[in-house]
Amino acid sequence: MADTTYQPAVYRKQGGDELVVANGGKITVESGGAIVFPNPSGGTDYYVCGNSGDDTHDGLSWATAYQTLATALAASHANIAAGSTGWAARNRIFCKGDDFVEDLVALAQKTDIIGVGSSDNYPMPCIRGNHAPVNNAMGCRFFNVRFRPAASDDLVTLDSTSGGSIEFHGCIFDAHYEAFTAPSAIDTTASQYVKVIGCDFLGQFSGDVIDIGAGKVNGMRIIGNKILGGADNGIVATGAMTVDQGRYALVADNYIQVADKIIDDGADSVLYSFNNVGVSGEAAGASAYVVTAGYGANNIFTCNGVTASVPSCNYGAQS
C-alpha cells in the first residue's frame, strides 16, 4: 500500500544528489518538459530544428536549437578539436524538421548525427542536397536520416580528404526530388572504413547506386541494405581497390534489384561478397554480376528469370 504521507526528497550525498520517490509514486513530465540523460561518452550534445531553430542560438537544447546542420557540425567539430570533453569522447547532434536544404561540405569528427521526429511519411528528417565533404571528419556517423538530391548529382561523395570512417546506419537514400535524379547514392574513392549498414536505397538511380572507386578500402562494410529500382548497377567497384594487411572490404546480406549489374567486385580480390540476394534484368554472366571466384559465397542471383548460386560450385564456369 502506498505511503500517502511520504513526499519526494532530494538527498545531498557524496558523489551526487539522489531523488527518492515514495513507493507507489511516479514522475510526471508535462508537455514541453524532458528528462535529460547525459551523453554516455562524456561528449557534448547539440540540437537542430529545421523548422524553428536559429543559428544564433547555442544549440545545446531544443529550446535553443540551431536551424541548420552545417552550423551544428561546425560547432561539434570545433568542440572535439578543442578536446574540452576529452579526446576519446563522442558528440551527438539530434536533428528534426522537414527538408534541410543544405549541401554539406564539412562534417564533424567523432560525432553522431541522429535523426528524430518525422518528415512527410518518414520517421526521420530529410536532408535535400548533394554532399561532398572535404574536411577531415574521421568517425562521423549518420543514424535514421533520409537523403534526397537538390541537383542531378551524386547524393554523397567521399574521398580521402574526408578522413574515412564515415558511416550510415538505418538511413534512406532516395534517387529523386522533382526533376532531379541522382546518378549514385554513395560515390566513395580511397575513403577507408566506410560503413553502410541497414539502409534503404529507393528509386531509379541512373548510375551505380554505390560506386567504389580506386584506392584503399580497408575495413569497408556494406551490410544488410535494400537496393530496389536502380536503373543501372547496384554495388560496383570502378577502380583498382587495395587493402593493407588483410583489412578486406565486405559486401554481405544485401537485397538488390537493378536493371544491370547486381554486384561487380572489380576482380581485385580485396572485396568479399557473401549471402547477397539479387535480381537483374540482364542474362547471367558479366552483364549481371562479377563476383571473383574464391572471394564470394552463397550469393543467389536471378538474372533474366534464371536463378543461380554465384559463384557457382564449378568455379571454372564463373567469370
Side-chain angles (χ1 to χ4, degrees):
M1 183 174 179
D3 181 355
T4 58
T5 66
Y6 187 88
Q7 299 296 317
V10 175
Y11 294 90
R12 309 295 183 186
K13 301 176 67 174
Q14 186 175 4
D17 295 347
E18 179 180 354
L19 172 65
V20 177
V21 179
N23 178 28
K26 65 179 180 179
I27 297 175
T28 301
V29 180
E30 295 184 348
S31 178
I35 298 175
V36 179
F37 294 93
N39 185 318
S41 76
T44 301
D45 288 343
Y46 296 93
Y47 299 83
V48 181
C49 181
N51 294 351
S52 60
D54 190 321
D55 283 344
T56 65
H57 290 164
D58 62 16
L60 296 177
S61 70
W62 285 121
T64 59
Y66 293 130
Q67 186 175 37
T68 64
L69 274 170
T71 300
L73 288 163
S76 182
H77 192 73
N79 174 271
I80 290 290
S84 56
T85 54
W87 296 111
R90 291 188 63 83
N91 291 347
R92 300 184 297 189
I93 297 173
F94 295 95
C95 61
K96 67 178 179 179
D98 296 309
D99 281 17
F100 289 84
V101 184
E102 303 184 52
D103 293 334
L104 300 178
V105 297
L107 299 179
Q109 63 179 327
K110 300 181 181 179
T111 297
D112 293 339
I113 300 95
I114 302 169
V116 297
S118 62
S119 174
D120 299 328
N121 296 328
Y122 298 89
M124 59 186 68
C126 176
I127 309 174
R128 176 155 46 94
N130 304 83
H131 316 293
V134 295
N135 68 321
N136 189 329
M138 185 174 293
C140 185
R141 305 188 298 183
F142 288 85
F143 294 86
N144 198 49
V145 174
R146 180 185 174 210
F147 297 88
R148 59 179 176 172
S152 293
D153 294 316
D154 296 336
L155 283 176
V156 178
T157 302
L158 302 174
D159 61 22
S160 59
T161 63
S162 59
S165 304
I166 310 299
E167 300 184 17
F168 302 91
H169 297 260
C171 294
I172 292 176
F173 295 83
D174 197 325
H176 306 286
Y177 176 72
E178 294 184 345
F180 304 123
T181 297
S184 295
I186 300 173
D187 188 318
T188 175
T189 302
S191 188
Q192 303 180 66
Y193 301 101
V194 171
K195 292 182 175 62
V196 186
I197 298 177
C199 297
D200 280 2
F201 297 80
L202 306 175
Q204 295 178 331
F205 288 95
S206 59
D208 306 328
V209 178
I210 298 178
D211 187 301
I212 307 168
K216 290 184 179 181
V217 292
N218 288 329
M220 177 179 286
R221 300 289 181 262
I222 303 175
I223 299 174
N225 303 288
K226 298 178 180 65
I227 297 174
L228 300 174
D232 192 11
N233 303 315
I235 302 171
V236 176
T238 56
M241 302 177 298
T242 61
V243 298
D244 297 320
Q245 299 175 321
R247 298 184 177 94
Y248 294 112
L250 176 65
V251 175
D253 301 311
N254 300 287
Y255 293 90
I256 304 170
Q257 180 271 315
V258 291
D260 298 324
K261 290 181 182 178
I262 300 165
I263 293 173
D264 184 343
D265 65 12
D268 283 335
S269 303
V270 299
L271 190 157
Y272 281 83
S273 300
F274 296 143
N275 304 321
N276 299 286
V277 177
V279 175
S280 168
E282 299 286 347
S287 295
Y289 53 81
V290 177
V291 178
T292 303
Y295 288 85
N298 298 329
N299 300 290
I300 304 297
F301 295 159
T302 297
C303 305
N304 196 22
V306 178
T307 301
S309 176
V310 177
S312 65
C313 292
N314 178 10
Y315 283 136
Q318 168 64 33
S319 61

